[in-house]
């Protein structure tokens, strides 16, 4: 028996799932790719590493339709842009925003314009934006320069800015906090995440607060954000003119939601800290090899941060002192396949052997 389209079981997407918490009405055309409802994975090896009976969960945002958390905000931003009858959307991006914007624009049948820092976008993300048919403009400058240009071009009837300075983006992204509470039954004690432009930490704070106000949870977790060492303006409390890190997604020196990030951290008794590129790559590899979760370098900042909290007394929040049986959630923001360049070196060392059982046994080390 054949299903009609409306009978097909489809993922509802974050707007249908959390409509009453989002700035949409019956007249908003919903543009969705079935984003959200991402896995919250219990991680036994990470839990063991933290000890003290703590439970560590990873919120795996890489399983969204374009492989990053940006899709949650983009469904709302593009739906609202359609409500305003915009014919195009525009964004600056370190990669994931452009991939997501391009996909949702394609779905909506409108143009997507992307301004990006030349040479600094991970291969997979760049490829996605081209595949979805975005109009790409590369500039000789970094992300902060690109966002400055987008701001100057401005929001208009002609095109809508879909960076996280658009509040519809933040509204959509807060649904990740709702999902975590819905699964755990309450908010966790600690929430660790990477910080770039600081939209996501702002969104999680909004989501946790809103759920608490609706008596869906009893608390807001301590929000602990991690920047890359070479791009840590919030930690150092000054603009970084030339941000540098292998985690190109968070190569940002002047975050748009800086103040909101500080408020989220202060209010939740959280912290901001940084992790080195070396720690980021080590955490990326560890998570893939010990928990089977492959994330892009920027995403591994939350895991590198967790290790730093466990291993050092100087970390922003030394976990040696945390209450027993605490619940910790780490958001990993994007899929590992987006940014393969850091891994390909190991692949190059793979040399073929003769096609015989003996040669293969020898190569395996048997
Ligand atoms: C994988 O795509 O800014 O602190 O232009 O792609 O909310 O900026 C991406 C950011 C973390 C930081 N992890 O989040 C962009 C962009 C990944 C990211 C962040 C980004 P925010």
């Amino acid at each position: 028996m054949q299903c009609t389209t409306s009978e097909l079981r489809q993922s509802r997407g974050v707007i249908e799932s959390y409509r009453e918490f989002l700035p949409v009405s019956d007249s908003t055309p919903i543009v969705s790719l079935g984003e959200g409802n991402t896995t919250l994975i219990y991680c036994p090896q990470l839990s063991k590493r933290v000890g003290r009976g703590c439970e560590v969960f990873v919120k795996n945002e890489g399983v969204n339709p374009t492989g990053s958390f940006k899709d949650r905000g983009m469904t709302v931003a593009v739906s609202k842009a359609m409500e305003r009858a915009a014919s195009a959307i525009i964004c600056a991006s370190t990669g994931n925003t452009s991939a997501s914007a391009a996909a949702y624009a394609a779905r909506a049948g409108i143009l997507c314009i992307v301004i990006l820092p030349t040479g600094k976008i991970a291969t997979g993300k760049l490829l996605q934006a081209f595949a979805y048919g975005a109009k790409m403009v590369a500039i000789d400058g970094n992300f902060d320069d690109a966002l400055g240009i987008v701001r100057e071009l401005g929001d208009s009837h002609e095109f809508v800015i879909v960076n996280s300075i658009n509040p519809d983006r933040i509204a959509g992204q807060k649904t990740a906090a709702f999902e975590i509470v819905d699964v755990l039954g309450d908010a966790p004690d600690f929430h660790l995440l990477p910080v770039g432009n600081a939209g996501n930490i702002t969104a999680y704070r909004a989501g946790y607060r809103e759920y608490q106000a609706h008596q869906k949870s009893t608390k807001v977790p301590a929000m602990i954000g991690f920047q890359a060492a070479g791009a840590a303006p919030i930690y150092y409390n000054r603009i970084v003119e030339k941000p540098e890190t292998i985690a190109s997604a968070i190569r940002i020196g002047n975050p748009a939601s800086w103040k909101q990030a500080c408020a989220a951290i202060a209010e939740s008794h959280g912290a901001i800290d940084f992790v080195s590129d070396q720690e980021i790559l080590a955490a990326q590899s560890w998570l893939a090899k010990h928990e089977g979760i492959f994330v892009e370098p920027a995403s591994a900042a939350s895991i590198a941060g967790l290790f730093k909290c466990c291993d050092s007394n100087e970390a922003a929040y030394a976990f040696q002192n945390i209450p027993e049986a605490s619940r910790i959630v780490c958001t990993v923001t994007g899929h590992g396949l987006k940014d393969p360049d850091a891994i390909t070196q190991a692949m190059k060392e793979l040399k073929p052997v003769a096609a015989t059982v003996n040669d293969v046994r020898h190569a395996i080390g048997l």
Side-chain angles (χ1 to χ4, degrees):
M1 198 177 69
Q2 283 222 316
C3 286
T4 64
T5 312
S6 61
E7 285 168 342
L8 284 173
R9 228 183 112 73
Q10 296 193 331
S11 172
R12 296 195 301 159
V14 298
I15 296 180
E16 293 304 344
S17 300
Y18 295 106
R19 186 173 263 279
E20 69 268 34
F21 296 99
L22 295 171
V24 292
S25 69
D26 289 346
S27 59
T28 312
I30 305 303
V31 182
S32 172
L33 286 163
E35 61 293 318
N37 196 18
T38 57
T39 30
L40 183 70
I41 309 171
Y42 171 67
C43 289
Q45 301 305 325
L46 279 178
S47 302
K48 205 153 93 186
R49 181 92 195 253
V50 176
R52 301 178 62 85
C54 292
E55 291 177 305
V56 181
F57 300 84
V58 161
K59 181 67 168 162
N60 189 11
E61 291 289 277
V63 301
N64 273 300
T66 75
S68 89
F69 71 104
K70 304 284 183 182
D71 294 342
R72 293 178 184 278
M74 211 53 77
T75 180
V76 179
V78 174
S79 297
K80 294 299 281 183
M82 293 306 281
E83 190 177 315
R84 288 165 60 187
S87 55
I89 56 173
I90 188 167
C91 66
S93 185
T94 59
N96 280 325
T97 295
S98 61
S100 183
Y104 284 78
R107 183 85 179 165
I110 58 172
L111 176 67
C112 174
I113 306 160
V114 174
I115 316 293
L116 43 83
T118 191
K120 295 293 180 185
I121 309 295
T123 314
K125 302 173 191 177
L126 197 58
L127 200 139
Q128 284 180 290
F130 275 110
Y132 296 126
K135 170 82 193 157
M136 310 287 276
V137 182
I139 60 159
D140 284 326
N142 59 32
F143 170 82
D144 303 292
D145 302 322
L147 186 58
I149 290 167
V150 166
R151 280 182 195 270
E152 272 191 54
L153 286 170
D155 237 341
S156 65
H157 184 69
E158 214 181 345
F159 45 62
V160 171
I161 297 176
V162 296
N163 281 103
S164 58
I165 53 176
N166 177 339
D168 297 330
R169 278 274 315 277
I170 304 291
Q173 282 174 212
K174 75 186 175 188
T175 57
F178 297 165
E179 289 176 10
I180 290 167
V181 174
D182 286 344
V183 169
L184 294 180
D186 200 349
D189 300 296
F190 297 88
H191 191 121
L192 281 61
L193 76 170
V195 171
N197 218 17
N200 214 23
I201 193 169
T202 303
Y204 270 103
R205 173 210 192 191
Y208 281 126
R209 277 165 53 121
E210 211 167 320
Y211 247 31
Q212 189 186 31
H214 282 79
Q215 274 98 46
K216 287 185 172 269
S217 60
T218 64
K219 60 194 169 192
V220 168
M223 305 289 302
I224 309 184
F226 293 95
Q227 304 190 292
I234 301 177
Y235 178 82
Y236 291 114
N237 195 27
R238 63 180 148 77
I239 292 171
V240 177
E241 297 290 346
K242 290 193 166 53
E244 274 311 333
T245 169
I246 192 153
S248 56
I250 52 172
R251 187 172 168 271
I252 295 173
N254 187 10
S257 300
W258 191 324
K259 279 205 190 85
Q260 294 90 321
C262 291
I265 291 157
E267 186 186 86
S268 70
H269 305 289
I272 187 86
D273 204 346
F274 65 85
V275 282
S276 69
D277 281 4
Q278 213 180 350
E279 289 171 315
I280 285 172
L281 293 177
Q284 180 194 30
S285 171
W286 194 97
L287 191 66
K289 292 182 175 124
H290 292 83
E291 298 284 9
I293 305 168
F294 179 34
V295 304
E296 65 167 286
S299 306
S302 61
I303 306 300
L306 178 71
F307 292 161
K308 191 171 177 183
C309 287
C310 293
D311 299 343
S312 140
N313 283 320
E314 288 159 33
Y317 197 102
F319 273 13
Q320 288 93 329
N321 302 321
I322 63 167
E324 297 223 351
S326 291
R327 276 185 157 173
I328 302 165
V329 171
C330 298
T331 294
V332 292
T333 40
H335 202 284
L337 289 173
K338 281 172 168 284
D339 192 357
D341 299 349
I343 312 283
T344 46
Q345 196 47 45
M347 274 167 39
K348 285 181 192 138
E349 286 156 24
L350 185 65
K351 297 279 183 284
V353 298
T356 72
V357 170
N358 263 350
D359 284 277
V360 171
R361 284 182 68 90
H362 183 73
I364 295 168
L366 295 174

